[in-house]
Each structure stands twice: as structure tokens, then as C-alpha cells.
Amino acid sequence: MRSINLGAKVLAALLIAETAILVLLAGAVLVKGGASGLSFDSFAPSNVFVSGMSGPLGLAVAAFIGFEATAIYREEARDPDRTVPRATYLAIGFLGLFYAFISWIIVQAFGSGQAVAVAAKNPAEMFFTAMTQYVGGWATDVQRVLIVTSVLAALLAFHNAITRYVYALSAERVAPAALGRVHARHGSPWVAGVAQSVLAAVVVAVFASFGIDPYTKFFLWVNTPGVVGILVLQALAAFAVVAFFRRNRADHGEGHLRTLLAPAAAGVLLTAVTVLVCKRLDLFTGAGPAVNWSLVALTPAVFLAGMALAARIRRTRPDVYAKLATTDVDAT
């Protein structure tokens, strides 16, 4: 409700704190030389082709979900043509390098020969054990608190994203007009935000009333269809870029790399990753085949429902359909 600026400041503070505690661990491991000396064995190309790597690759790609959210803040950026692309590239670059670096650090903390065994025995405590061993118990306590704040940061980011999607649908007259109201003072889509909060509270209350475990079932089962759905949407968006520029061959100032090669490669790779994630969904949910395939089925079900709704709007409200995704929404 207090606009994206306040939310950005909260997220920035939490991100800096969470990054700092991992940098502290990295520094301690490097200074002490790890468990048995620093080694780059884990970066050997042959490790990519080790049996069972499909699951970790799927998890790694899923960990990047959220970087595409920079685009939804376009209307609230002062110079979106520069800010949004830069923020997106910066997010991907930072996450890629930092994730790889910290993963290597945790391997060094236990040694290349022992890291896999430690992870298999107790993966949830792996980072905490390393922090206690190399930095101290006080740092582990701070790290546990920051785990909670990281969940808060993720929830705030998702809340902001959903709120702005709902606002955009309202502005395009697909969702109820009331959801498109902005705050008189802060200029934020506060009605859509309140609606999202109420919806989240109702869903949590329903799961809680049945005594369902809040993490192993509620969180993982609700979150997993979102992972699959976003990967599918990203793949479709990549192929859509190719299709758009093939149809519109006028001089648009963009080269083949950005209009054909990069999006086509992205579409193929994202499709492959989506298949990997669906095949190893047990790593995401901890559930059996019946639950996993039910969760996967939600993506095509929702997609078909969306197509049916779009067809209905096209038939009954052609003026609204014609303006979908073309309205210049001003959410200042």
C-alpha cells in the first residue's frame, strides 16, 4: 500500500543482510582453506554428465524464477527502457555468479570427497553446520533468522507481482474495475493488494483447518505448480518473440541475435528444463507419483481455462479483447 519504493527498500535491506551472512561464511572458508585445501574439482565439465544431474539442473533453473518480474514494474520506473533491461541482466548475472560461488564454497567447507555424503545425510542443516564450524554459533543463529526473513522477502516480492498483474487485468477491463483503484496518496494498486492478502489468508486457513503440514505439503504443493507454470510461460514467451519478429519483418532496429537466435535457443532450453522438472518433481514436492502428476496437470488445465476465457471475451467483448496487452497502464 505504501508504493513500490518502500517495498524495494525493505527487500534491499533483507537481500543485503542475507548476502552478507553468506559472504561471511565464504570468507571464513577461504581463510581457513576449507576442509582439505581449496579445490576446483567440482567445476570439472565431466560432472555435468554424471547420472542423476537432471534433478539438480531443474532445481538450479527453478531457483532463478522471479528475475522476469522486473518487467512488471515498467510503469513505475522513471526510465523503463533502460532500467528494466539493466535490472534484469544484473539480477541474472549476480544470481548466477553468487549461486555458483556459494555452492563451491560449501563444497570446500566439507571437502570434495565428503560434501555429497553430508548433503545426502542432512541437507537442511548443511549450511548451518558449516557456519558453526567456520564462523561460530552466533553466526548460525543470525543465519537462521535470515532464513525466515528471506521467506518474508520472497512473499513480499510475489505479493507485489500478483498485485500488479491483477491491476493490469483490471486496467484492461478483464478483472473487476474495483481492483484497478490506486491509492490517492501513495499511488499504489492497494485494492488489488488487499484482495491478494485476503485470498492468501483464506488459502492458508483452509490448509490449516485440515492440519496439513505447512512446509512439506502446503508450501511445496502450492509452490510447485507455479514453478512449472512459469517455466512453461517463459518458454512460450521465447517462442513468441521468434514468431512476432518473423511476422513483422519491417526495420525494427534489432539484429538476428535478439530476434531469432537467442529467443529460439531459450525456448528450446526452457522446454528441456521443464521436462526435467516434471520428470523429477519428487525433488520439489517429496510426494508420490499421484500427487506429482496431479500438480503437473494443473498447468495445462489452467492454460486451457485461460484460452477458453479469452475466446469468450473475444466473442462477447471484442473491443476488450483487441486491447489486451496493448493498454498503456499508468500505475504511478
Side-chain angles (χ1 to χ4, degrees), residues 219-229 277 281 284-285 292 295 299:
F219 176 76
L220 294 180
W221 290 8
V222 171
N223 187 63
T224 299
V227 172
V228 177
V277 169
L281 212 65
F284 292 78
T285 65
N292 290 335
L295 295 176
T299 294

Side-chain angles (χ1 to χ4, degrees), residues 35 42 103-123 126:
S42 55
S103 297
W104 175 72
I105 283 292
I106 205 67
V107 170
Q108 303 313 300
F110 295 98
S112 299
Q114 298 296 320
V116 174
V118 173
K121 183 178 180 180
N122 195 352
M126 191 174 187

Side-chain angles (χ1 to χ4, degrees), residues 16 63 155 179 284:
I16 291 172
L155 290 175
L179 295 173
F284 292 78

Side-chain angles (χ1 to χ4, degrees), residues 228-302:
V228 177
I230 290 177
L231 287 174
V232 170
L233 287 174
Q234 288 179 349
L236 289 174
F239 289 127
V241 171
V242 177
F244 175 82
F245 284 108
R246 292 307 93 189
R247 288 200 197 114
N248 300 273
R249 296 178 178 274
D251 185 15
H252 40 65
E254 301 291 349
H256 289 298
L257 176 62
R258 299 182 68 176
T259 62
L260 177 62
L261 299 179
V268 171
L269 292 173
L270 283 165
T271 300
V273 169
T274 303
V275 172
L276 290 178
V277 169
C278 291
K279 288 179 63 177
R280 296 306 310 273
L281 212 65
D282 56 302
L283 293 177
F284 292 78
T285 65
V291 171
N292 290 335
W293 286 113
S294 297
L295 295 176
V296 170
L298 288 174
T299 294
V302 171

